[in-house]
Amino acid sequence: MSSTVEQIKSRLSIADVVQSYIKLQKAGANFKANCPFHNEKTPSFFVSPSRQSWHCFGCSRGGDMFSFIMEIEGVDFLESLKILADRAGVEVEKIDKKQQSERLRLLQLIGESVKFYEFELRKNADVVAYLKKRGMKGETAKSFNLGFAPAGWRNLHDYLKDKDYSDFEMEKAGMIVKSDKAQTGYYDRFRSRIMFPIFNASGQAVGFSGRIFGEEGTDSGGKYINSPQTVLYDKSRILYGFDKAKNEIRKKDACVIMEGQMDAVMSHQAGVVNAAAVSGTALTIDHLRLIKRLTDKIIMAFDKDEAGARASSKGIDMALAEGFEVKIAVSPSGKDPADAVLDNPESWLKAVSEAKNVIEFYLELFDDRKDIERKILPYIAVLPSEMEKAGWVKKISEKLKIKEDSVWDELKKVKPAPTPMARFRLDSQGETLPLGAPPKQTRLEFMRNRLLGIVFWQKDAQDQDLKPIIDEFAALEKDKIDNYPTEEKNKLALEAELFFSGAVSLKEEFLKIKKETEKEEIKAELESITGKIKEMEMAENPPGGEAKLKQYLDDFHKLTKKLNLWQKK
């Protein structure tokens, strides 16, 4: 296993791995970004290529490329190993089935299902003809791994059974359903449907969306049915096509949000590759936070039907509240994007490039005061920026030819729904941190960590002025240094590098911190003894009696004198 890990690390750069999920900015020899694991206004997330490590100084998470994948994908180590091995082109050493995680086993089951449906699609000329009629090219269908679930009750079930998967595993992955009739057993969830595999952000198939095809499918649900909630698939957290769109989202600095799988597929075929779709749900807060890793700009392209309008409205509210710039792409002739691409791919490219700010879009659409109050003011109310609100209030007052004060009065009556933040808490600076994030360290801990950070950072440096001082300190702290976890060493070294890389004299900085640390140590001792004296004074029969109390008072006076002398230096 260790050799596999080393091979992966030798072939992949941690910066490239992290950059495939979030936007990184150069920061000297390192990179920085807004942390993907908690909301923050200024970047506190740093990546160090030299140490192949990452750390967030806001929420205290950190580690190597494997821990990053585990955190951002919500997977265990074995699965992160598989994800990075596939990316690096490294063959994973055979893992004993007892060690293999259930999640990894279910991912392999879904992967086999994708192969089965792809094979069935190639066999079915009618389905191929239908997709061509919708304007889809063969390479597009192949790129998105489109397939077909044939008519019949146990086609996939029997195929997976031959691959040594149990009924329990198939049901847990959402691929089969248990019949109410005991004698029937299990049957395939998807039958007579065009199959759209749904991939997570790492490109692993985790579920499916099936579109009805032919009369045989009418007994198995509506026009589209999706995989149920499973340990792999959560429709509120996964966007269809995001795995293929993420690099383009970062490049274009915008994400096009669509309502259906066919819209997203055809949008990619037309050249709008920064597009992803919701699957059987409205846009959620988790979708938005997934997108926020790459961009803070969204272009809404929902269908023009009533359901699409409702979904769009809810998504716009949340996106604006989360600080996104939201635009609306109007499909030509009111058609859904897939049909627009079929008619004229260039028209869809034009619609996206000419997308308008959502508030501007509705201001041009509505003239009636009541429509503006009902539709536009709620969007303005959730904007985080007061200056931005003021700009839109001015435009509304000019459009309606009324005073700005009147618009402000109506705006104050709007009560926007709170943004879902149940998993977060505010720190003392107003930043949002995950629940359970560690408390802030004391000043003494802070100063000691600064010293250790310089030691870890400069341990191989050739600075002859600094080296003797560092060596002396390291010798005194040898036991602590030897037992420090690698991850913590990397974190402290990275912190020291970021803080002191521009220092004129690192030696002087080290000595200054060392002196401050000595002061904080005296103060900590004083605080401890003060507490003990108070305890003894409050106790009726303190252990040790008067002699113990006298000893504490003597120590207190000595430390006070020592602190005063230190401050005069």
Side-chain angles (χ1 to χ4, degrees):
M1 187 73 70
S2 60
S3 62
T4 303
V5 169
E6 293 309 315
Q7 283 186 66
I8 292 170
K9 285 188 173 182
S10 69
R11 295 190 188 188
L12 295 179
S13 160
I14 191 168
D16 290 338
V17 171
V18 174
Q19 184 132 296
S20 67
Y21 291 89
I22 62 175
K23 285 191 298 183
L24 292 179
Q25 300 173 310
K26 203 81 171 79
N30 303 298
F31 295 89
K32 66 180 179 179
N34 283 344
C35 180
F37 306 120
H38 78 282
N39 283 5
E40 60 181 6
K41 297 167 188 172
T42 54
S44 61
F45 179 95
F46 286 85
V47 176
S48 170
S50 63
R51 293 180 191 84
Q52 287 291 290
S53 67
W54 62 278
H55 188 80
C56 175
F57 296 101
C59 64
S60 294
R61 286 181 167 104
D64 60 8
M65 64 178 69
F66 294 96
S67 62
F68 179 80
I69 293 294
M70 289 165 69
E71 286 275 2
I72 207 158
E73 293 287 358
V75 299
D76 61 17
F77 174 73
L78 285 177
E79 196 174 334
S80 73
L81 184 76
K82 180 71 167 60
I83 291 169
L84 291 172
D86 288 345
R87 190 178 299 189
V90 172
E91 187 175 346
V92 180
E93 297 167 6
K94 290 202 172 181
I95 303 168
D96 188 285
K97 282 194 175 181
K98 290 180 182 177
Q99 292 182 305
Q100 192 176 36
S101 70
E102 176 192 57
R103 184 182 170 91
L104 193 55
R105 174 91 173 152
L106 295 182
L107 281 168
Q108 292 168 346
L109 185 154
I110 295 289
E112 287 293 343
S113 302
V114 172
K115 292 177 187 176
F116 172 79
Y117 292 139
E118 284 183 301
F119 179 73
E120 290 296 323
L121 174 61
R122 291 194 294 271
K123 285 167 47 180
N124 196 307
D126 290 342
V127 180
V128 172
Y130 168 79
L131 292 173
K132 286 182 177 178
K133 186 179 177 182
R134 291 294 306 268
M136 189 179 297
K137 297 176 181 177
E139 57 265 31
T140 303
K142 187 176 180 181
S143 172
F144 281 85
N145 301 94
L146 265 60
F148 181 66
W153 293 94
R154 294 167 67 87
N155 293 297
L156 178 67
H157 173 276
D158 294 344
Y159 172 83
L160 292 175
K161 205 75 172 175
D162 287 342
K163 297 289 182 181
D164 200 28
Y165 290 102
S166 67
D167 289 347
F168 174 79
E169 289 173 317
M170 292 183 230
E171 185 180 22
K172 191 147 191 179
M175 300 313 301
I176 62 173
V177 180
K178 191 168 188 177
S179 173
D180 293 334
K181 300 174 183 178
Q183 67 271 23
T184 308
Y186 291 90
Y187 60 88
D188 292 351
R189 179 178 297 276
F190 300 98
R191 306 180 305 283
S192 294
R193 290 182 179 273
I194 298 170
M195 300 300 290
F196 295 82
I198 299 170
F199 296 84
N200 62 23
S202 291
Q204 298 168 308
V206 294
F208 293 90
S209 182
R211 185 197 187 281
I212 196 168
F213 184 83
E215 294 297 320
E216 298 92 336
T218 56
D219 64 344
S220 60
K223 183 178 178 181
Y224 278 92
I225 62 171
N226 297 316
S227 290
Q229 182 94 1
T230 70
V231 295
L232 300 179
Y233 176 62
D234 181 346
K235 65 183 179 182
S236 69
R237 292 174 177 269
I238 293 177
L239 289 168
Y240 178 79
F242 186 80
D243 59 306
K244 295 175 178 60
K246 60 186 181 182
N247 288 335
E248 200 67 16
I249 289 170
R250 189 186 299 106
K251 288 178 187 175
K252 294 285 177 64
D253 193 21
C255 179
V256 182
I257 299 294
M258 320 196 82
E259 189 184 35
Q261 287 84 9
M262 185 64 84
D263 289 336
V265 171
M266 295 305 290
S267 181
H268 278 241
Q269 181 175 292
V272 180
V273 183
N274 56 324
V278 294
S279 295
T281 182
L283 196 65
T284 69
I285 195 71
D286 287 312
H287 290 147
L288 291 171
R289 289 188 175 131
L290 178 68
I291 296 166
K292 193 83 167 182
R293 299 171 188 168
L294 304 177
T295 182
D296 56 8
K297 297 181 179 66
I298 286 179
I299 299 172
M300 296 282 194
F302 286 88
D303 291 351
K304 305 301 281 184
D305 62 16
E306 187 180 346
R310 284 201 305 270
S312 176
S313 177
K314 182 181 178 184
I316 289 168
D317 287 345
M318 286 193 300
L320 291 172
E322 287 289 307
F324 281 92
E325 177 187 338
V326 181
K327 293 184 177 182
I328 300 291
V330 182
S331 183
S333 306
K335 294 182 177 181
D336 66 37
D339 289 334
V341 171
L342 175 62
D343 289 348
N344 181 1
E346 292 297 323
S347 68
W348 176 238
L349 290 168
K350 187 169 184 285
V352 172
S353 67
E354 295 178 355
K356 292 183 178 178
N357 179 285
V358 60
I359 299 175
E360 180 185 352
F361 170 78
Y362 282 116
L363 268 177
E364 291 181 3
L365 189 65
F366 296 134
D367 291 310
D368 183 76
R369 176 172 178 164
K370 286 188 176 180
D371 285 334
I372 290 173
E373 286 179 9
R374 177 180 56 85
K375 189 67 181 177
I376 299 175
L377 289 187
Y379 290 157
I380 297 174
V382 298
L383 293 173
S385 167
E386 292 300 318
M387 288 182 67
E388 195 175 358
K389 284 181 183 178
W392 291 115
V393 165
K394 186 174 188 296
K395 288 190 177 183
I396 290 173
S397 73
E398 290 171 351
K399 182 179 178 72
L400 296 178
K401 295 180 173 57
I402 59 175
K403 292 182 179 180
E404 288 185 33
D405 287 348
S406 300
V407 182
W408 279 112
D409 288 341
E410 291 303 315
L411 187 62
K412 289 173 185 175
K413 296 177 185 177
V414 178
K415 294 182 179 179
T419 304
M421 294 293 285
R423 296 191 303 277
F424 298 86
R425 66 170 173 82
L426 292 177
D427 71 3
S428 58
Q429 276 72 50
E431 302 282 2
T432 53
L433 299 179
L435 289 175
K440 293 289 178 73
Q441 55 189 261
T442 66
R443 179 164 174 77
L444 177 56
E445 290 169 333
F446 176 81
M447 303 306 287
R448 283 175 176 165
N449 285 338
R450 278 279 192 259
L451 293 174
L452 289 169
I454 295 175
V455 172
F456 295 141
W457 172 35
Q458 292 290 318
K459 67 182 189 312
D460 298 321
Q462 301 303 313
D463 187 332
Q464 295 306 309
D465 285 340
L466 181 63
K467 189 168 174 31
I469 300 170
I470 283 184
D471 289 346
E472 181 186 358
F473 179 82
L476 292 171
E477 300 285 337
K478 186 177 186 306
D479 290 342
K480 181 184 287 187
I481 289 172
D482 289 346
N483 293 317
Y484 246 76
T486 302
E487 182 181 316
E488 188 67 13
K489 284 183 180 180
N490 285 333
K491 175 236 174 178
L492 293 176
L494 176 58
E495 189 174 34
E497 181 183 351
L498 294 169
F499 197 82
F500 295 111
S501 56
V504 176
S505 171
L506 197 52
K507 174 187 173 183
E508 293 302 318
E509 293 289 345
F510 188 87
L511 291 173
K512 190 188 335 180
I513 298 168
K514 191 168 179 291
K515 185 179 177 183
E516 277 293 311
T517 304
E518 290 168 2
K519 173 187 171 184
E520 291 300 320
E521 285 171 345
I522 297 170
K523 289 169 71 176
E525 283 186 72
L526 267 173
E527 191 174 324
S528 174
I529 287 176
T530 301
K532 289 174 182 177
I533 291 171
K534 286 181 179 178
E535 284 178 15
M536 292 199 73
E537 288 176 339
M538 292 177 69
E540 291 184 11
N541 296 301
E546 292 296 325
K548 192 73 171 176
L549 179 58
K550 183 178 183 303
Q551 180 63 53
Y552 284 151
L553 289 170
D554 287 345
D555 290 343
F556 178 83
H557 291 308
K558 285 176 185 176
L559 284 168
T560 304
K561 187 176 180 181
K562 186 177 179 182
L563 182 62
N564 289 334
L565 287 171
W566 187 95
Q567 289 174 332
K568 290 177 182 178
K569 289 181 182 179

